[in-house]
Amino acid sequence: MGKRTENKDELVLKWMLGQIGRAKKRKKQLDERLMEINEERNSPIGGVGYKPLPRNGGISNGAASILFKLADIEERIYAQKTEIEKSIVRVMDILEYLPIDSLEREVCELHYIDGKKMTEIEYVIPMSRAQCYNKLNAAIAMLLTQPRIKTMVRKNTQAYDDWCYQRDNARERNRRKNKVGGSASEIISENSRMEQGGGIRPEKSTGKKENP
C-alpha cells in the first residue's frame, strides 16, 4: 500500500497550522544574525577585521552603519516575537474545533504548537509513529468538515501557492548550486529543511495497537 495522497485543502490547512514553526525559524535566524554582528563588533583589538573607532568623540560611518543594523535587527526580532504570539492564537483558534480530550487534538498541539516531531510525539502519548500520522490526518479531515475552517482555507490558498512558488525556486537555486560544487551532505541537509516546510508526510499503519 502506497502513501496517502493529500488534497489541496489538506495541504493548505497543514501549512496554516505550521505558521508557528515558520515564525520561530525566522526569529532564530534573526537572533543568530544579531549575535554574529555583536561578536564582530566586540572582537578584540588587533583581531581580524578590527578597526578602532576615532578618539575625537565622533562616530564613524562604519560604526554608525553597524549600530543601524543592530537596531534594525532588534526591531525585526521584537516584531517576530509578536508574530509568534499571533500565530499561536491563530493556530489555537483552529484547533478549538477538535474535541478537547481527543488524541487528534493532542497530536496537533504537540506538533504544531510545541514544535515536536513525530519521533518525539510517539513516546509522549505513547503510540506508534504511523498512528501519530494517522491521528494528525484524521484531525485535518475533522477540521475540514467545519464551514469556517473551509472558508479560512480558501482565503489562504493563494498565500500557500505563493509560498510554494518561493520554496520551489529556492530548491532549484540550491539544486543548481549543489550540481556545480555542492557536497552530498549539503544536498541532504537542504532536502531535509525543505521537507520540514511542507505538509506532514502520511505513513501507512504498522498495525500496532494504540495504548489506552
Side-chain angles (χ1 to χ4, degrees), residues 167-198:
R167 179 199 60 187
D168 293 343
N169 281 346
R171 279 181 175 176
E172 182 60 27
R173 286 195 299 271
N174 281 293
R175 188 177 294 111
R176 291 176 181 175
K177 186 186 301 183
N178 290 326
K179 189 174 181 180
V180 172
S183 66
S185 61
E186 290 172 337
I187 296 174
I188 293 173
S189 176
E190 177 61 27
N191 289 340
S192 176
R193 285 195 296 271
M194 289 307 170
E195 286 175 1
Q196 293 173 8

Side-chain angles (χ1 to χ4, degrees), residues 138-210:
I140 296 299
M142 292 167 63
L143 289 169
L144 287 172
T145 64
Q146 300 294 328
R148 179 169 177 261
I149 301 299
K150 289 281 288 184
T151 300
M152 293 170 66
V153 166
R154 285 195 295 270
K155 289 181 178 179
N156 281 272
T157 297
Q158 184 59 54
Y160 170 75
D161 289 339
D162 293 341
W163 177 84
C164 288
Y165 177 77
Q166 294 173 7
R167 179 199 60 187
D168 293 343
N169 281 346
R171 279 181 175 176
E172 182 60 27
R173 286 195 299 271
N174 281 293
R175 188 177 294 111
R176 291 176 181 175
K177 186 186 301 183
N178 290 326
K179 189 174 181 180
V180 172
S183 66
S185 61
E186 290 172 337
I187 296 174
I188 293 173
S189 176
E190 177 61 27
N191 289 340
S192 176
R193 285 195 296 271
M194 289 307 170
E195 286 175 1
Q196 293 173 8
I200 298 300
R201 173 177 53 84
E203 294 185 356
K204 62 180 181 179
S205 175
T206 60
K208 182 178 177 181
K209 294 183 179 179
E210 300 175 14

Side-chain angles (χ1 to χ4, degrees), residues 13 17 28 38 43 46 49 61 92 120 122 155 208:
L13 180 54
L17 291 169
K28 182 180 179 182
N38 273 316
S43 60
N61 290 336
M92 290 182 67
E120 299 172 294
E122 66 178 324
K155 289 181 178 179
K208 182 178 177 181

Side-chain angles (χ1 to χ4, degrees), residues 33 42 58 70 152 211:
R33 193 171 301 158
N42 297 324
L70 290 172
M152 293 170 66
N211 292 332

